[in-house]
Amino acid sequence: SQNRRFELEIRALARLDHPGIVRIYSAGVADIHGQRTAFLTTELVEGESLYAYLERRRPSLTERLKLWIQLCEIVDYAHRRGVIHRDLKPANLLFCEDEHGTAAIKVLDFGIARLHENEGSATHLTGAGIVGTLGYIAPERLDPEVRDLDEVRCEVFSLGAIGYEM
């Protein structure tokens, strides 16, 4: 349900404190016109999409690889904290620049993340099902015959697809 995904996103972001992941500032429930409404406040991330960034900056292959490695390190950090994003795609990545023009990636939208209670070991097998965005989903996730998926390996496929596009 929408509420469960919202709660999951709050719990996932609360576990993560990394400059490459959108920061959560507060979350809760507010009474708005007599209706209880859940809210989440995060840092304001001003950046641009993967495609806009690549088109505008036209970074060299070396610069692209450095950004991709940065993304892999961010995802590795999340995995070590027990969080698997499960919907890595260009729309959930913002490319920002600091005052010196140095590019940095921010990962957003942890709404369908999977959490693991024992941090430090994010490898987890789960039932098959379509979770994520076509084009960035590991093929085994789309196969109804596959009963056990390694979520980390599926996420590595997504990273590979993004790296290929970069």
Side-chain angles (χ1 to χ4, degrees):
S1 78
Q2 195 75 2
N3 286 341
R4 173 136 168 66
R5 285 190 176 174
F6 191 70
E7 284 178 31
L8 181 64
E9 183 165 17
I10 292 167
R11 288 182 33 224
L13 288 173
R15 285 188 180 189
L16 305 172
D17 183 16
H18 189 283
I21 297 172
V22 65
R23 288 190 184 348
I24 183 173
Y25 290 136
S26 65
V29 178
D31 186 17
I32 300 176
H33 303 295
Q35 185 167 355
R36 293 176 52 83
T37 304
F39 70 89
L40 167 69
T41 56
T42 64
E43 71 177 303
L44 173 63
V45 179
E46 296 188 57
E48 56 192 336
S49 72
L50 169 65
Y51 303 119
Y53 175 80
L54 294 177
E55 180 66 28
R56 183 179 62 79
R57 283 288 309 268
R58 300 201 181 277
S60 69
L61 178 58
T62 300
E63 292 170 316
R64 291 170 194 246
L65 287 172
K66 285 180 181 177
L67 285 170
W68 185 70
I69 289 168
Q70 183 184 120
L71 175 60
C72 291
E73 289 171 346
I74 294 166
V75 171
D76 176 61
Y77 166 82
H79 287 179
R80 286 184 285 111
R81 297 290 296 153
V83 178
I84 297 178
H85 190 283
R86 298 200 315 164
D87 197 18
L88 290 174
K89 60 184 177 183
N92 288 337
L93 308 174
L94 283 184
F95 289 74
C96 312
E97 291 180 352
D98 65 17
E99 62 275 1
H100 307 292
T102 303
I105 299 172
K106 281 282 190 178
V107 179
L108 314 171
D109 192 0
F110 283 76
I112 61 171
R114 179 173 296 280
L115 303 181
H116 303 285
E117 295 314 313
N118 62 341
E119 295 174 7
S121 176
T123 299
H124 180 74
L125 301 176
T126 185
I130 297 177
V131 175
T133 302
L134 291 175
Y136 302 94
I137 297 175
E140 59 268 29
R141 188 175 293 285
L142 300 172
D143 185 346
E145 299 299 315
V146 175
R147 293 289 173 234
D148 292 320
L149 293 172
D150 183 321
E151 295 281 356
V152 171
R153 289 181 185 201
C154 289
E155 194 119 295
V156 168
F157 179 91
S158 300
L159 286 169
I162 293 166
Y164 176 80
E165 288 185 344
M166 289 178 76

